[in-house]
Amino acid sequence: LRGRQGTALLPLALRLADSKSESALEAFARGRFFEAELPAPVQQLELSVNGRNFRPDFAWPKFQLIAEADGESKYSDPDEARRQRYRQHLLHEAGWEVLRFGCPDVQAPNSGFLRVLQRRLASN
């Protein structure tokens, strides 16, 4: 592949690859977090709150911060939306801040969501 367009980025892409990404949005977001020079999150961190187990998409335990990637189809089912709200309530009660984002939130080069993450992760 030497000399082919994009091959210079291959070592970086391989270094950033993580099998814990459960969607294209999660994989893309990880790349954007890296570009924004954010601390590396833990993906699919296993948390137990009130006897219930959770695996948030991204977690920064030191900051008690979770970021959840919400695809468009996630909330088409009202029961799933209700479960997600309850899950977020339990995590909040346990001291975690939960931020939700979709594809538009991480696509823009000057994403407001990424700026919020930068401020939140710089505050501690």
Side-chain angles (χ1 to χ4, degrees):
L1 294 175
R2 283 199 180 116
R4 301 292 291 257
Q5 185 175 0
T7 56
L9 295 176
L10 188 57
L12 176 60
L14 291 173
R15 194 175 84 219
L16 292 176
D18 189 329
S19 64
K20 291 182 181 175
S21 290
E22 295 182 339
S23 70
L25 175 55
E26 288 181 32
F28 181 74
R30 283 187 70 249
R32 296 292 283 140
F33 297 164
F34 176 80
E35 288 175 340
E37 299 180 356
L38 297 173
V42 177
Q43 282 194 265
Q44 310 304 328
L45 176 69
E46 295 191 17
L47 295 173
S48 182
V49 176
N50 293 341
R52 296 186 60 169
N53 296 321
F54 301 108
R55 288 180 340 142
D57 297 331
F58 302 99
W60 290 268
K62 174 183 171 185
F63 300 93
Q64 293 270 241
L65 180 65
I66 289 170
E68 289 285 3
D70 290 341
E72 289 181 21
S73 63
K74 192 170 202 174
Y75 298 106
S76 59
D77 175 4
D79 290 333
E80 179 61 21
R82 196 172 12 268
R83 282 189 294 273
Q84 289 295 321
R85 282 193 302 273
Y86 183 64
R87 176 180 182 268
Q88 184 164 332
H89 169 76
L90 290 176
L91 289 166
H92 178 74
E93 289 293 313
W96 290 86
E97 180 180 1
V98 179
L99 302 175
R100 298 191 167 281
F101 68 93
C103 196
D105 299 314
V106 291
Q107 277 182 322
N110 295 317
S111 164
F113 176 74
L114 291 175
R115 286 195 306 274
V116 167
L117 274 179
Q118 286 170 326
R119 282 194 303 273
R120 181 63 178 82
L121 295 171
S123 65
N124 287 351

